[in-house]
């Protein structure tokens, strides 16, 4: 009798697994309406006819693995918004405001409310060692702040590496039940223009403003020491991506964040720290796991730099800061 | 006493399993109970989960560094306003894309309809497909025909021997299936990667009007896909048989939902697109609506995306028919309405379906697939 029960249970679980696979349960949001892969739009929407002949000629709008390269003028925000608002995803933004960096929270959050995925459901996850420093901000409908307390550290390099560790832990324990898309963003920035749903994709990376024009791949600041897990040889590489803004589906981002964390730990065991910390590990990952959308440097500029002609819009920009003032171990 | 314990634990297990089963069954059921809205939406059976999106490239692949500020094509647009790539020669690196998609071990399914005299085009279609269509991948071609005995024996290029096996036809109410397999010789040309093309012939009844043949396509595509599900990692392309391949059609064409811009209208204003313009049809597109005019002769994507398209178009076509309406270009009209609302995630340029009688426009650097010149009076049952 016993063997037949096990057999029955196994058969049933196999069927159960099949049913689960075809049920919307596994990728549903709380209201059960969000579906992976849909680019649906409502009827009756009016917008200019797209062209097959006339577009931006000063920049490339696709990568060589056929993923879009997102610049102002390559997309129509009316269509994009219509498609993604119908999907109505929940978006998480992971922010680290440790030590003196809490002073940047107000500027970031207030500008995000004006420009970042407006009218979408957004939750800001603020990782801080000082809960009291988190300002009260007026938030739009469907937007929340969630504070995660983490311990203080002494070196800024440890803050940066700690991001991966705490992000991995918290995504696993908490955020994966609460979000469909996840962004990692540097807190010391301010939004200046619309940063919208055109940035959403399973894995979106941002081109680093310093290396997108004419830099040869052997000049990219990849980690070049073979001892490090982030090593990339000089004859490989597509682009150099920034770690100040990255995003994607929750599970894809979790995988990437965890990768950066475990690779950093591995390096630490071998007494080496990658030249640009998690940015180095991120670039290695993205070389072999191609992003599905590459965002132009419009999606992370810097107040230090003059704006060239091909950057028609600066959507978010890093602030000029006095490193001695804000870093726990001074300038370096 | 031992006997009693067994019964109790067995009952407990069965109760728990029953509850789990009921829960999953009920939630599966509710996902079906969505009524057909004015937007042609039918409830979806399966979710397209991301294997499609994991673009893993091999280590140490050598290729030229891609440029950010210099597009290789400035005479054409390479992305739609909803950020789906428009595939033109030069906008993709075939070596890189093949290296990403080959390890996924996918099968490309193609459907062609060779009903009545259209069977005459099949030989050329198959021969050129073998040379250009997803070379190096597993390809299954489903041929729907009312003349199975006229399916040509295809000789493969480069002197490979062909093994043909013929299974006894199964008994079924409307369809008879027998498979003709084509196997490469064991020690064939070493430059060719492992390659397997399989031909599956399906019998369909003869139709009196060519419009009927056109209309049944969606239904048959839907059925073929339903046989393949729940294996949802594969792609399908639905192609016109009266065409032949002239150039590469490969992994750059893969996407969730893939459409081809019609060669006759890709330069025109949307007011000239031959959409269905009568509001009483379910394929209606109002003036001022529409992105591109897409071909009914070539479309594809992930199995479940195309399944949803086929099911919706078929339903709308039949609903129209019940009210005595036939859309201007049959399922092509319904497909265009579907793709207006459900944006394709990839658009193929007219390189992917040209017309042999048309001289080539300067922006079309290569013709990959093209409709052959034909005399309609000769081949349509009701010209």
């Amino acid at each position: 009798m016993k063997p037949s029960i096990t057999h029955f249970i196994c058969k049933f679980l196999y069927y159960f697994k099949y049913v689960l696979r075809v049920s919307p349960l596994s990728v549903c949001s709380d209201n059960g309406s969000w579906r992976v892969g849909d680019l649906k739009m409502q009827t009756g929407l009016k917008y200019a006819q797209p062209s097959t002949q006339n577009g931006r000629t000063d920049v490339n709008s696709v990568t060589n693995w056929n993923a879009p390269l997102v610049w102002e003028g390559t997309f129509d925000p009316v269509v994009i918004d219509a498609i993604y608002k119908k999907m109505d995803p929940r978006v998480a933004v992971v922010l680290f405001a440790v030590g003196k960096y809490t002073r940047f929270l107000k500027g970031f959050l207030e500008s995000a409310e004006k420009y970042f995925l407006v009218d979408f459901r957004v939750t800001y996850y603020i990782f801080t060692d000082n809960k009291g420093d988190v300002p009260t901000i007026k938030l739009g409908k469907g937007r929340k702040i969630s504070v995660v307390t983490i311990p203080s550290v002494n070196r800024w390099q440890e803050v940066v590496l700690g991001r991966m560790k705490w992000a991995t832990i918290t995504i696993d324990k908490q955020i994966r039940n609460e979000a469909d898309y996840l962004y990692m963003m540097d807190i010391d920035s301010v939004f200046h223009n619309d940063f919208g749903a055109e940035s959403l994709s399973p894995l979106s990376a941002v081109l680093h403003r310093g290396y997108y024009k004419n830099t040869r791949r052997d000049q990219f600041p990849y980690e070049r020491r073979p001892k490090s897990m982030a090593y990339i040889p000089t004859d490989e590489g597509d682009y150099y991506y920034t770690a100040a803004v990255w995003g994607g589906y929750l599970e894809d981002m979790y995988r990437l964040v965890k990768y950066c964390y475990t690779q950093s730990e591995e390096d630490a065991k071998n007494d080496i720290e990658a030249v640009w910390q998690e940015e180095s590990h991120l670039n290695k990952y993205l070389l072999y796991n191609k992003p599905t959308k590459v965002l132009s440097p419009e999606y992370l500029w810097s107040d230090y730099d003059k704006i060239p002609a091909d950057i028609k819009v600066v959507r978010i920009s890093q602030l000029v800061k006095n490193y001695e003032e804000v870093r726990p171990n001074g300038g370096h | 006493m031992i006997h009693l314990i067994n019964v109790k634990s067995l009952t407990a297990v069965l109760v728990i399993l029953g509850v789990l089963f009921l829960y999953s069954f009920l939630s599966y059921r509710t996902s079906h109970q969505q009524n057909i809205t004015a937007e042609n939406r039918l409830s979806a059976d399966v979710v397209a989960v991301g294997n499609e999106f994991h673009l893993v490239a091999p280590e140490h692949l050598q290729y030229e560094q891609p440029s950010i500020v210099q597009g290789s094509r400035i005479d054409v647009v390479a992305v739609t306003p909803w950020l789906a790539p428009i595939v033109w020669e030069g906008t993709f690196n075939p070596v890189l894309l093949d290296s990403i998609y080959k390890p996924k071990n996918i099968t490309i399914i193609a459907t062609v309809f060779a009903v009545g005299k259209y069977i005459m085009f099949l030989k050329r279609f198959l021969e050129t497909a073998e040379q250009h269509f997803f070379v190096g991948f597993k390809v299954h071609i489903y041929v729907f025909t009312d003349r199975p005995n006229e399916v040509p024996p295809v000789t493969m290029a480069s002197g490979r021997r062909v093994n043909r096996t013929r299974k006894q036809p199964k008994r079924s109410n409307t369809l008879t299936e027998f498979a003709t397999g084509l196997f490469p010789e064991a020690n064939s040309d070493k430059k060719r990667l492992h390659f397997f093309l399989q031909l599956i012939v399906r019998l369909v009844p003869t139709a009196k009007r060519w419009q009927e043949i056109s209309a049944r396509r969606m239904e048959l595509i839907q059925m073929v896909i339903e046989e393949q599900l729940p294996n949802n990692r594969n792609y399908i392309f639905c192609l016109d048989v009266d065409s032949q391949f002239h150039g590469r059609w490969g992994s750059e064409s893969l996407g969730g939902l893939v459409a081809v811009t019609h060669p006759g209208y890709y330069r025109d204003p949307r007011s000239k697109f031959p959409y269905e313009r009568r509001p009483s049809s379910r394929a209606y597109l109002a003036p001022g609506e529409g992105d591109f005019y897409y071909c009914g002769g070539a479309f594809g994507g992930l199995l479940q995306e195309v399944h949803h398209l086929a099911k919706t178009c078929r339903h709308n076509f039949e609903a129209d028919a019940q009210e005595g309406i036939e859309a201007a270009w049959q399922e092509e009209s319904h497909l265009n309405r579907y793709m207006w609302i459900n944006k394709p995630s990839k658009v193929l340029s007219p390189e992917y379906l040209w017309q042999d009688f048309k001289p080539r426009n300067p922006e079309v650097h290569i013709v990959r697939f093209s409709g052959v010149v034909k005399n309609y009076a000769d081949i349509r049952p009701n010209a």
Side-chain angles (χ1 to χ4, degrees):
Chain A
M1 196 181 177
K2 266 193 176 168
S4 72
I5 291 178
T6 339
H7 175 71
F8 169 75
I9 292 172
C10 288
K11 266 218 135 135
F12 172 73
L13 284 177
Y14 175 72
Y15 173 69
F16 185 67
K17 208 172 74 161
Y18 167 68
V19 172
L20 270 190
R21 195 142 54 104
V22 302
S23 87
L25 287 178
S26 50
V27 287
C28 252
S29 64
D30 45 5
N31 64 358
S33 65
W34 187 72
R35 265 192 46 189
V36 173
D38 256 353
L39 297 174
K40 250 177 95 71
M41 186 192 75
Q42 76 260 26
T43 50
L45 189 71
K46 300 281 184 236
Y47 56 89
Q49 179 184 355
S51 169
T52 53
Q53 317 279 285
N54 299 314
R56 273 185 79 159
T57 54
D58 56 333
V59 291
N60 207 341
S61 57
V62 274
T63 68
N64 62 348
W65 64 91
N66 230 229
L69 254 172
V70 184
W71 304 83
E72 179 71 1
T74 60
F75 63 93
D76 186 335
V78 171
V79 186
I80 295 266
D81 269 358
I83 291 170
Y84 283 97
K85 284 205 178 123
K86 206 176 170 73
M87 241 192 253
D88 195 27
R90 299 161 302 170
V91 179
V93 183
V94 168
L95 302 161
F96 281 81
V98 176
K100 295 191 184 133
Y101 272 65
T102 49
R103 69 181 62 181
F104 300 115
L105 276 167
K106 189 167 195 291
F108 182 95
L109 292 169
E110 280 178 350
S111 60
E113 285 300 292
K114 272 174 72 181
Y115 295 115
F116 179 71
L117 285 172
V118 175
D119 289 339
F120 284 84
R121 293 187 282 167
V122 172
T123 302
Y124 306 97
Y125 291 85
I126 302 178
F127 290 67
T128 183
D129 54 351
N130 190 345
K131 198 169 170 166
D133 272 355
V134 177
T136 325
I137 305 281
K138 185 164 166 21
L139 295 173
K141 182 161 171 273
R143 304 178 68 112
K144 291 201 305 265
I145 287 180
S146 182
V147 179
V148 180
T149 310
I150 56 174
S152 307
V153 288
N154 292 324
R155 289 172 66 235
W156 73 265
Q157 291 92 338
E158 276 173 45
V159 174
V160 166
L161 283 172
R163 290 185 358 158
M164 296 298 105
K165 173 177 162 201
W166 291 113
T168 308
I169 293 171
T170 316
I171 296 172
D172 188 27
K173 269 193 348 214
Q174 179 188 355
I175 306 182
R176 80 166 13 128
N177 301 322
E178 300 172 1
D180 306 306
Y181 287 94
L182 181 110
Y183 283 86
M184 299 280 293
M185 287 190 169
D186 271 5
I187 191 68
D188 53 355
S189 329
V190 168
F191 290 89
H192 298 287
N193 278 291
D194 284 326
F195 187 130
E198 70 282 354
S199 61
L200 293 172
S201 93
L203 190 57
S204 299
V206 179
L207 295 170
H208 194 293
R209 68 192 177 281
Y211 307 99
Y212 74 99
K213 270 197 189 299
N214 295 311
T215 313
R216 280 201 342 251
R217 56 168 41 134
D218 58 7
Q219 308 285 316
F220 288 156
Y222 292 146
E223 173 55 64
R224 298 297 188 186
R225 295 166 292 175
K227 191 177 167 197
S228 165
M229 303 300 288
Y231 168 64
I232 295 177
T234 48
D235 56 357
E236 289 179 43
D238 301 310
Y239 311 116
Y240 191 75
Y241 304 104
T242 176
V245 174
W246 28 310
Y249 285 160
L250 187 112
E251 287 305 327
D252 290 64
M253 281 298 286
Y254 175 65
R255 186 179 327 194
L256 174 47
V257 166
K258 191 169 173 193
Y259 172 89
C260 291
Y261 172 47
T262 50
Q263 299 295 82
S264 313
E265 292 280 287
E266 191 63 30
D267 268 3
K269 276 197 218 136
N270 295 325
D271 249 336
I272 188 170
E273 190 180 85
V275 58
W276 290 104
Q277 293 84 43
E278 86 248 26
E279 190 170 89
S280 306
H281 295 290
L282 176 86
N283 271 279
K284 172 133 186 182
Y285 182 90
L286 291 174
L287 176 57
Y288 301 119
N289 300 269
K290 305 294 190 198
T292 50
K293 256 186 200 168
V294 177
L295 309 180
S296 65
E298 297 167 4
Y299 290 83
L300 185 68
W301 200 250
S302 145
D303 287 355
Y304 288 104
D305 295 310
K306 272 205 337 241
I307 303 170
D310 48 27
I311 303 291
K312 311 266 183 226
V313 161
V314 170
R315 303 172 192 277
I316 177 174
S317 186
Q318 283 182 322
L319 296 163
V320 171
K321 35 188 188 296
N322 183 338
Y323 283 118
E324 272 190 28
E325 251 186 59
V326 295
R327 284 180 172 164
N329 51 327
H332 213 276
Chain B
M1 235 185 330
I2 296 168
H3 175 75
L4 203 66
I5 291 169
N6 272 346
V7 168
K8 274 192 178 170
S9 50
L10 170 63
T11 330
V13 167
L14 283 177
V15 165
I16 292 169
L17 289 177
V19 167
L20 283 173
F21 179 72
L22 203 64
Y23 170 72
S24 62
F25 181 68
L26 281 178
S27 56
Y28 182 50
R29 270 273 294 272
T30 51
S31 80
H32 272 278
Q33 280 155 12
Q34 293 169 26
N35 293 322
I36 294 146
T37 66
E39 297 161 349
N40 315 326
R41 177 142 178 84
L42 296 181
S43 64
D45 301 327
V46 290
V47 177
V49 180
N51 193 21
E52 140 82 1
F53 300 119
H54 295 154
L55 307 172
V56 182
E59 295 196 24
H60 312 308
L61 186 70
Q62 303 291 315
Y63 54 86
E64 253 187 58
Q65 179 181 355
S67 171
I68 293 169
V69 290
Q70 266 166 357
S72 48
R73 299 290 300 263
I74 53 171
D75 56 335
V76 290
V77 175
V79 81
T80 68
W82 61 92
L83 293 174
I86 306 180
V87 184
W88 298 87
E89 178 71 359
T91 62
F92 63 93
N93 182 326
V95 171
L96 175 55
L97 276 170
D98 277 351
S99 78
I100 291 173
Y101 280 100
K102 278 195 183 139
K104 287 175 185 267
N105 205 23
I106 48 179
T107 301
I108 312 296
I109 294 163
T111 62
V112 279
F113 293 81
V115 180
K117 294 201 181 126
Y118 273 73
I119 192 87
M120 75 167 80
F121 301 112
L122 188 59
K123 184 171 196 287
R124 199 75 197 113
F125 177 94
L126 292 174
E127 280 172 350
T128 56
E130 201 258 338
Q131 285 166 33
H132 299 291
F133 185 71
F134 281 99
V135 174
F137 288 81
K138 273 189 287 192
V139 176
H140 292 184
I141 302 185
Y142 284 80
V143 177
F144 294 88
T145 183
D146 55 347
R147 304 183 184 186
N149 295 320
E150 289 183 42
V151 174
V154 181
T155 47
M156 308 308 265
S158 69
R160 287 187 298 176
R161 187 156 37 96
V162 169
N163 281 336
R164 310 185 102 210
T165 53
R166 199 174 202 175
K167 291 186 194 151
Q168 279 289 67
K170 273 187 270 184
R171 281 199 183 186
S172 64
N173 43 4
T174 52
L175 299 177
T176 311
E177 175 186 333
F178 52 93
T180 310
L182 305 160
F183 301 93
E185 202 174 33
N187 53 348
S188 60
D189 184 0
K190 286 201 180 87
K191 282 192 217 125
R192 284 268 209 182
L193 297 172
H194 173 71
F195 173 59
F196 179 72
L197 184 147
Q198 190 177 42
L199 196 68
I200 300 134
V201 182
R202 288 274 167 94
L203 181 67
V204 295
T206 308
K208 296 195 198 69
R209 292 173 66 237
W210 71 265
Q211 292 90 339
E212 274 172 40
I213 301 164
S214 196
R216 276 215 80 208
R217 283 172 26 147
M218 287 298 176
E219 180 188 346
L220 292 165
I221 291 166
Q222 180 189 340
M223 282 166 57
V224 161
I225 297 177
E226 277 167 7
E227 289 165 25
Q228 311 286 326
L229 296 173
N231 174 2
N232 58 10
R233 292 184 344 128
N234 292 331
Y235 295 84
I236 182 169
F237 284 92
C238 306
L239 302 170
D240 266 356
V241 72
D242 56 355
S243 315
Q244 57 185 347
F245 292 90
H246 298 281
R248 173 196 161 102
W249 180 316
S251 53
E252 71 285 353
S253 67
L254 294 175
L257 182 63
V258 182
V260 179
T261 45
H262 196 291
Y265 301 99
Y266 70 100
R267 287 169 154 193
D268 288 342
R270 50 169 47 137
S271 52
K272 288 219 168 89
F273 295 164
Y275 292 143
E276 172 54 60
R277 298 295 188 186
R278 294 167 292 175
S280 46
S281 165
R282 283 159 184 78
Y284 171 63
L285 272 166
E289 289 185 347
D291 300 305
F292 305 106
Y293 192 74
Y294 301 114
C295 300
F299 59 92
L302 281 169
L303 284 178
Q304 58 270 62
E305 293 284 344
V306 178
H307 179 257
H308 196 260
L309 180 157
K311 200 167 159 190
T312 309
C313 288
R314 172 202 174 178
H315 172 266
N316 290 337
F317 186 94
E318 288 172 357
D320 264 9
Q322 274 175 0
E323 293 172 13
I325 292 187
E326 191 178 87
W329 289 99
Q330 294 80 45
E331 87 254 27
E332 187 174 88
S333 304
H334 289 283
L335 180 135
N336 269 279
R337 175 159 181 94
Y338 183 89
M339 295 220 179
W340 160 244
I341 298 171
N342 302 270
K343 303 294 191 201
S345 53
K346 192 170 274 190
V347 175
L348 306 180
S349 65
E351 296 167 1
Y352 288 81
L353 185 56
W354 198 248
Q355 287 159 321
D356 277 357
F357 66 81
K358 258 173 97 78
R360 211 165 359 126
N361 292 337
E363 62 270 2
V364 181
H365 292 181
I366 170 176
V367 171
R368 304 170 193 275
F369 186 58
S370 180
V372 303
V373 174
K374 48 193 179 286
N375 182 345
Y376 286 116
D378 277 348
I379 46 176
R380 283 181 173 163
N382 58 318

